[in-house]
Amino acid sequence: MDDDLQLLRSWHGGDKAAGNELFTRHFAALRRFFRNKVAAEDGQDLVQRTLLETVRSSPTFRGDSSFRTFLFTIARRELCHHIRRKHRKIDQAEVDLTVSSVIDLGLSPSAFAANQQAHERILAAMQSIPVDFQITLELHYWEQLDAADIAAVLEIAPGTVRTRLHRAREALRARLVELDAGHGESGADLEASLTQAALVL
Amino acid sequence: MNEIPTESLSLPPAPGGAAGVDTRLMRAAIAQDLFDAPAAPVQIGRFEILRRIGAGAMGDVFAAHDPQLGRTVAVKLVRAERRDAHTASLLREARALAKLVHPRVVTIFESGVHDGEVFLAMEYFDGGSLAQWIDAHPVRTRADVWATLAKFVDAGVGLAAAHAAGLVHRDFKPANVLLATDGRIAVADFGLAGTTRTAAPDPVPGAPSSLEQTSMTLAGGGTPAYMAPEQFRGDADARADQYAFCVALFEGLVGSRPGVSALDAERADIARRMPTTAARLVPRWIRAALVRGLASDPSARFPSMEALLVALDRRRHTARRRTAVVVGFVAAGLGGAWALAAPSPCASLSTDGAIWSGPRRAAVEAAYLATGQAPAATFFGEIDEALIDWSRDWAAARRDACEASHGAGQQSAARADARADCLEHARVSIDATIDAFIDVDPRTIANTRDVLARLPSIGRCEDPQALAAADEVAAIDRAAYDAAFAEVARARARLAAGQVVRLDDLQRGALDAVDPTRHPHLGAEVQLMIGEAVGLVDAATSLEQHLVPAARLAVASGDRILIAEARGLGECGRRQQGLAALVRPRRGGARGDDRGGSTAGLRVGGPGRGADERRRSRGGR
């Protein structure tokens, strides 16, 4: 991954081809990071902001962690800025990402029906647990980051990652149980309740 | 559920369908913005995606550039969620639109599969939907009433055309009517469309279940706010579209829908007690038409969309024609419904009785009843009804074509001739179909509904692209062309009716007069017909030697209906081949490469076959 570091240095020096190469390597992960958290129309802006901030702050990046960890750290900060910008329009309340979920925060990511395949059920449940729990689970399970890297991204002490991961799984499990109880097992029931909802509108 | 299955926490699959296109568009845009990287266009098939233009219930729509024809098209893709259901809906839409060519119905250019995802390429509309137009044009004056009515009558003409083609839209609403800044307007979103023939007696044993029947038995979806009461029970025919149209028109004129839904309000009453401000503006006869169109009982509504449109357009017929600007009602699309108002040189042109005349009708009836098969009488009733309708539409279209050619400069003489030729060919085809009915055999009985669902299209004679093909007629000896056409029509009608066509019996002399390079249209018809006949015996040969060339010729002719037909038959051939490969090994080596055997093996519902196999072959039809 030191390759990434060289590309970043070259890009910072003005080599756009190097920037494009770096972007090509990490686009999928960045897109994945934002896709389940913000509305589709905000995703592109956030990916772009993250990239620009990455190159801007690259002199401060000494390479103690992997470039990916650096990128996710900045992506999470950009997400926080985004939430603050959005929230300033609504109210002044302080946002705590270990308490509020992307749904609570009104970020309107794409909706998943709760009766879908396993991974879509998970995606739906993830949107309603606290944002930092969601990020913890994603970085651990999807991006295979280790505890130290997750701690760096969340900007917390490495010792607390274990607890964080445990609490995140608990929250997700509780949410899945709620989803199951709320909608019953059969898709037909869900269809019926959707039709009802449409009639009310 | 106490444990989270670990595998569901694994990396989610990369987004497909519309979301996948969004991702690729995003990547290209960022690469361009930040790195000046000339992004390779995001492509679906040969179409280069430009931007997202909308999200529908079933799929998302993108504007795209067609480099081959240099025009902008709309490309529709299924959503990533519930992909199977949405793919089925998209295919249903493709089938529905392939049958229907009309200026007031959105045109489908192509359907295809890209990276395993089904897409439709359709006519592009840049003026938003009628729902947006209504919001921007609240009715405040009488003039607003006429402007709104004109838009709705245009859309209504599209619905009527769909009904004439045997389709029910089942989800008509202002959001599904598209506008273009050049004045085009068309009905879109046929993803829920089914056929108008709702009565579905038990299928005849051995009869293939047609595409129409499959889409018909699906539970009718729709948008509750616009749905007729009977549609909630899954029972929607053309009159349910009429009801939805009236809900939408009420909304356009009054600014809100009549009540929440058909389930908790008598909407006709609401229309009767229209708010006073609206009632002052909306003429009495329009209110009366809405009350009738919103009747809970379908039989209390107008018998057809045409009848409703004539009632709504009463202003044209009254002497009080103060503002002649009444806007472009498309008389042509209505099959000359208003032509009845004034006598014209074309009025005496033809009576529709000539096609489905007493003797011909009696011959078919006698032949059907003589088969002694139980459903024969029912099927004859359906034939009778369909042919009465068809003859009436044909006569109206011919009168309309005649009037248009007499009208000052409305269309060039060549176009008028082409239209007349097209209608004449439709007549030859329907005559061939009636002949096939007279020669009824048990297979014909089983295929009756399929034949009726695919009667020769009259609407295509309004299609400039189909008419371009008629230039071919002018290019050769007229008599030879007509003879070849009649021969093809005869054979195709028999094949459609499930009757045997032996290649030896074809009048090859007539067919040899057709030079496919000069007459791609007729050439395609010849190859389709032979391919269809050969396909009954030998699917591989049919596909390679006839259907593929037919598809090429069809593309060369530019006739969308023919292209769709060639594709459909080609697809069928391919499936049969696959099926034959599946069937043969199970039978062991005993059958060898007995060609007759492979045909028998393919007959649906044949004796001694497992349910599993039968299902598979039915899916292949």
Side-chain angles (χ1 to χ4, degrees), chain B residues 560-613:
Chain B
R560 288 190 293 271
I561 292 182
L562 259 186
I563 295 171
E565 212 174 331
R567 287 228 173 94
L569 275 174
E571 192 58 33
C572 211
R574 229 167 268 137
R575 290 209 183 137
Q576 285 196 356
Q577 260 184 294
L579 195 66
L582 278 175
V583 171
R584 273 189 203 125
R586 293 180 65 151
R587 307 226 158 191
R591 286 208 158 253
D593 60 353
D594 170 9
R595 285 182 168 185
S598 77
T599 312
L602 289 168
R603 188 158 294 152
V604 175
R609 306 202 302 136
D612 177 54
E613 205 175 301

Side-chain angles (χ1 to χ4, degrees), chain B residues 61 63 200 226 232 240 396 617:
Chain B
V61 187
Y226 296 88
F232 283 93
S617 61

Side-chain angles (χ1 to χ4, degrees), chain B residues 14-319:
Chain B
V21 172
D22 282 335
T23 300
R24 287 187 283 157
L25 283 175
M26 181 195 287
R27 189 177 152 171
I30 294 177
Q32 178 113 52
D33 274 12
L34 297 189
F35 310 111
D36 304 331
V42 175
Q43 282 192 310
I44 296 178
R46 70 166 189 271
F47 305 102
E48 296 165 0
I49 302 297
L50 302 171
R51 65 190 169 276
R52 167 183 280 273
I53 49 180
M58 303 290 169
D60 292 353
V61 187
F62 297 86
H65 176 69
D66 178 354
Q68 215 168 75
L69 297 172
R71 63 183 171 190
T72 305
V73 301
V75 171
K76 196 174 194 178
L77 273 174
V78 292
R79 287 272 183 74
E81 305 95 51
R82 306 200 57 192
R83 192 173 300 169
D84 292 347
H86 292 166
T87 300
S89 150
L90 207 62
L91 291 173
R92 205 174 314 134
E93 177 165 22
R95 279 200 302 268
L97 290 177
K99 283 202 248 171
L100 187 51
V101 179
H102 192 277
R104 293 286 170 266
V105 174
V106 68
T107 304
I108 182 166
F109 297 131
E110 197 172 314
S111 63
V113 178
H114 179 80
D115 279 352
E117 307 280 354
V118 178
F119 69 88
L120 294 190
M122 296 179 296
E123 196 179 354
Y124 174 68
F125 287 82
D126 59 355
S129 72
L130 186 55
Q132 292 163 320
W133 189 91
I134 288 174
D135 285 345
H137 297 83
V139 170
R140 298 215 180 81
T141 66
R142 235 342 137 77
D144 294 337
V145 170
W146 302 138
T148 301
L149 184 65
K151 288 275 182 280
F152 274 90
V153 169
D154 276 353
V157 167
L159 263 188
H163 295 166
L167 289 167
V168 185
H169 188 287
R170 292 207 280 222
D171 195 19
F172 183 86
K173 55 183 170 182
N176 284 344
V177 177
L178 301 180
L179 310 176
T181 45
D182 62 10
R184 281 174 299 135
I185 174 167
V187 182
D189 280 300
F190 280 74
L192 292 172
T195 61
T196 48
R197 297 173 209 292
T198 47
D202 296 332
V204 180
S209 69
S210 69
L211 292 175
E212 280 68 25
Q213 282 166 358
T214 314
S215 62
M216 194 171 65
T217 48
L218 289 173
T223 306
Y226 296 88
M227 271 160 64
E230 71 271 18
Q231 196 174 349
F232 283 93
R233 300 188 295 270
D235 176 25
D237 61 17
R239 294 170 301 184
D241 281 351
Q242 181 190 148
Y243 181 97
F245 177 89
C246 287
V247 174
L249 176 56
F250 184 100
E251 183 181 16
L253 292 172
V254 177
S256 63
R257 289 187 289 272
V260 177
S261 105
L263 290 188
D264 55 10
E266 183 62 37
R267 288 181 138 168
D269 284 343
I270 297 178
R272 207 170 277 127
R273 297 179 274 105
M274 200 177 259
T276 41
T277 39
R280 245 201 333 270
L281 288 174
V282 179
R284 192 174 31 79
W285 78 80
I286 293 180
R287 278 180 281 147
L290 284 173
V291 168
R292 186 166 170 196
L294 289 169
S296 291
D297 176 4
S299 63
R301 295 175 205 148
F302 290 91
S304 66
M305 271 307 295
E306 282 96 335
L308 167 63
L309 294 175
V310 169
L312 286 174
D313 194 34
R314 185 181 133 161
R315 191 156 174 264
R316 268 175 90 91
H317 303 295
T318 62

Side-chain angles (χ1 to χ4, degrees), chain B residues 344-350 394-408 410-411 416-417 419-420 423 462:
Chain B
S344 77
C346 303
S348 61
L349 183 67
S350 72
W394 182 85
R398 198 160 91 145
R399 196 165 50 228
D400 197 49
C402 165
E403 272 161 9
S405 73
H406 283 80
Q410 273 213 1
Q411 51 180 297
D417 286 350
R419 230 171 129 188
L423 286 169
E462 306 298 327

Side-chain angles (χ1 to χ4, degrees), chain A residues 16 24 31 48 173 199, chain B residues 2 23 27 33 36 82 260:
Chain A
K16 288 193 170 180
T24 305
R31 160 85 169 150
Q48 206 150 338
R173 181 176 310 150
L199 286 176
Chain B
N2 288 321
T23 300
R27 189 177 152 171
D33 274 12
D36 304 331
R82 306 200 57 192
V260 177

